[in-house]
Amino acid sequence: MPSLPNESDASSSLSLGTALAYQSNGSNRRKIRKKRKSGIITANMAGTKYEIVRVVIEEMHFVKSRDDDETANLIWSDCAVQHEKIAELRNYQRINHFPGMGEICRKDCLSRNMTKMIKCQPHEYSFIPRTWIFPAEYTQYQNYVKELKKKKKQKTFIIKPANGAMGHGISLIRNGEKLQAQDHLIVQEYLDKPFLLEGYKFDLRIYILVTSCDPLRIFLYNDGLVRMGTEKYHPPSESNLNQLFMHLTNYSVNKHNENFERDETEDRGSKRSIRWFTEFLRANDHDVAKFWNDISELVVKTLIVAEPHVLHAYRMCRPGQQPGSNSVCFEVLGFDIILDRKLKPWLLEINRAPSFGTDQKIDYDVKKGVLLNALKLLNIRASDKKKNLAKQKAEAQKRLYGQGSMKRLSPGSSDWEKQRHTLERRKEELKERLAQVRKQISKEEYENRHMGNYRRIYPPEDKPLLEKYEGLLGTAFQTFLAGRAASLQREMNNPLKRMKEEDILDLLEQCELDDEKLSGKSTRQREPRALSSMPECTQTSKKKSYSSSNSSSSGGDSSSDSEEEKLVKEKKVSYDLDEQKFKSLERSSRVHCKPPIKSRPFTYSSPSSSSTPIRRSVSCPRSITALNAQSPHMEQQRPLSSKVTAQVSRPSSGNRTNSLNRSSSSHRVPHTGTCSSMYPTLVSNRPLCSVYICVIAHLYRCFLSWIA
């Protein structure tokens, strides 16, 4: 290591640039530091060969990093990445591939997974042609060919390599009996009645953006490419099976034909835009809305098949990451879809690394919009790296000092300790879910402002459609992860996943009240709400709709609806009758008043359901009192204050309703000098201030009558 210069010759050893960096102010020296650039987002482009990706990176004002920089905010790769690389990423980084997406991007895996879903949901998954995987399903294929021969039908089959691309190795065959069990191949039924454009066969390249798999979020780009064949289409026959320019629509195949037309506009040539195709359908009186709805459903249902595999692989790569946190992975997929004569879409294949080559102007315009809008939706910020480092430091300190971790119960814990531990765990779960919901709301607000030419197709805004997709998602998890990844299946069935922010807040408030009651403290009085929040007003309709939605999500038990309605009716009766009882007590106090007896001060207690009804979820326990009923010996272990509180609290809803019945005139309140016994219903049903005012007024009237 070089030695420092002496103080005597320091001025001579300093260069001119270094000397200008110092200014002497008397005996003190102050170093003027150059300001470092802040707010830089770096991108590693070493894994891509496409120039359009670099153009978009520059337009987003990202800075290109070194090829060996593994800490860049964005990493782009043209091919799939290994799971180990995804596991090494930091939380602020983004990479353009998901682990496990090959389950639908490889032709053989797509066929295998789709076959399983067709057995479970045959009506929902009827958009993929009949497919066989050779040599495993060679026998099934031969049986199908024999059935066709008995019916005197002949069909054409298309043969593809299992992991092929760009149209390599594709051929057509009509005599299926001659096909032998060869290497790993995919044999698919050929659609011989396609929708034609100017007499040419074509397919659609639909671009899909998946920003997260936990939870699943899918966006569809409103534009794309229409790729046409270069020879007029004729139904397949023995004479034209080898004419691939007629039967195949791959750009990599047809660009070698001399009839391929390159045009700078989007409405001419062998490659056109989907935006033009949409206007073409509208001009020819086709149902454009139904066409796009069918495309959206095809995409969502296909990605639902991949979701169990992708989510399981992602959790394995990123262990310990909380659900709902920012995903380090995203993916731009290319769906190849063909239309039949009735405009029904059929899925051909899915490309996890779609080509971003820009041979024509239409390629440049469409693909630049796909990438630019995708990066805007990802919301990559320069502050993410700093926040991530601060979060890691805070978590390390928590682990070091043991903060934030719940204490484990010992084997000899009492029932009271078990109840308290269950309640604390419940509160932590609700707080985590509340943070996830709020983060998801802010993310949706950002997406709605920066969606560009994308539109979100999952989760959809249509509630019946969302319930349908969730049912298919549950079927997919049961089909592909049966007996594995039990934690994922429990999370899918968690009723908290379907709750909104206000519902979780109500459950948290109920847990706080139950905690106070379990601890033996005098429970706090809930603030009175406006008349609009009373059960007989708009609150009733809200509670009914909410309870019905939760009952369906927690198992479809219809008894919860009637229970909530019964609770509302009991509350309404108590409000009306308490007012009449208060007036009758006031009249009787003027006649049957006695000198006040010096009594001990009473303890006011308000149970969890006092003054205003709390809207609760079916999945949340209504009160700790239900747990206390199961363990009667708990009264001996509780503090004294909790016992006193329990004596003064109002009776249950059923007893209260019977005691306040209008027809039962025999039930009268005993007139004693103790205020708590004279006003049992008043104390339990009215706010604390009104109770004190009534008691003071009663004592004052008694005092006046005693003097008279």
Side-chain angles (χ1 to χ4, degrees), residues 59-310:
E59 191 165 335
M60 288 290 296
H61 303 290
F62 294 175
V63 178
K64 182 182 176 182
S65 65
R66 301 187 313 272
D67 293 347
D68 58 346
D69 185 10
E70 299 294 337
T71 63
N73 297 79
L74 175 65
I75 300 175
W76 192 279
S77 177
D78 293 340
C79 57
V81 296
Q82 296 180 351
H83 292 192
E84 291 79 7
K85 188 171 184 178
I86 297 176
E88 294 172 357
L89 293 178
R90 297 169 177 83
N91 290 336
Y92 68 88
Q93 294 182 283
R94 300 289 184 273
I95 194 167
N96 66 321
H97 289 291
F98 276 101
M101 195 62 78
E103 293 292 332
I104 61 171
C105 293
R106 281 181 56 102
K107 296 181 180 66
D108 53 347
C109 296
L110 175 65
S111 173
R112 186 181 302 110
N113 293 324
M114 282 295 184
T115 302
K116 293 181 180 179
M117 286 299 293
I118 289 172
K119 292 180 180 179
C120 302
Q121 300 286 341
H123 299 291
E124 299 293 341
Y125 287 86
S126 60
F127 51 82
I128 186 168
R130 190 187 297 267
T131 310
W132 297 269
I133 304 174
F134 276 25
E137 298 177 354
Y138 177 75
T139 304
Q140 291 90 321
Y141 167 75
Q142 288 294 336
N143 294 335
Y144 179 72
V145 171
K146 291 178 182 178
E147 291 179 3
L148 291 176
K149 190 175 181 179
K150 290 180 181 179
K151 298 177 182 179
K152 297 182 179 180
K153 293 182 179 180
Q154 189 175 16
K155 290 191 176 183
T156 306
F157 300 94
I158 185 170
I159 304 171
K160 308 176 184 179
N163 198 23
M166 302 173 62
H168 296 312
I170 298 180
S171 60
L172 275 70
I173 187 173
R174 285 180 62 81
N175 192 353
E177 294 180 345
K178 294 182 179 180
L179 187 61
Q180 301 297 326
Q182 300 172 354
D183 296 333
H184 202 45
L185 296 174
I186 300 297
V187 179
Q188 196 172 66
E189 203 171 302
Y190 183 77
L191 298 175
D192 54 358
K193 296 180 181 180
F195 189 86
L196 302 179
L197 277 178
E198 302 174 2
Y200 294 95
K201 184 181 177 182
F202 70 95
D203 70 349
L204 304 177
R205 166 59 61 89
I206 306 291
Y207 291 100
I208 302 298
L209 172 65
V210 183
T211 59
S212 172
C213 68
D214 190 11
L216 182 62
R217 302 191 73 79
I218 309 171
F219 297 85
L220 183 145
Y221 194 68
N222 292 323
D223 203 356
L225 297 175
V226 179
R227 306 177 302 180
M228 303 173 62
T230 51
E231 291 186 11
K232 295 285 186 177
Y233 178 78
H234 296 283
S237 61
E238 295 293 340
S239 60
N240 63 11
L241 286 180
N242 296 328
Q243 298 181 14
L244 298 182
F245 298 131
M246 176 191 299
H247 299 291
L248 300 185
T249 56
N250 303 67
Y251 167 72
S252 56
V253 174
N254 284 277
K255 69 179 181 180
H256 299 293
N257 190 6
E258 58 182 7
N259 297 328
F260 186 85
E261 297 181 10
R262 298 181 182 271
D263 200 287
E264 296 298 326
T265 59
E266 63 178 8
D267 58 345
R268 293 182 181 179
S270 299
K271 187 183 290 187
R272 307 179 186 182
S273 70
I274 291 182
R275 182 173 57 182
W276 167 85
F277 181 70
T278 304
E279 296 298 328
F280 170 81
L281 293 178
R282 188 176 288 111
N284 288 272
D285 297 329
H286 293 287
D287 193 347
V288 177
K290 182 180 182 302
F291 165 75
W292 279 112
N293 288 336
D294 293 343
I295 294 290
S296 301
E297 285 202 16
L298 182 148
V299 171
V300 173
K301 290 176 182 178
T302 303
L303 287 172
I304 282 176
V305 173
E307 172 66 5
H309 307 282
V310 174

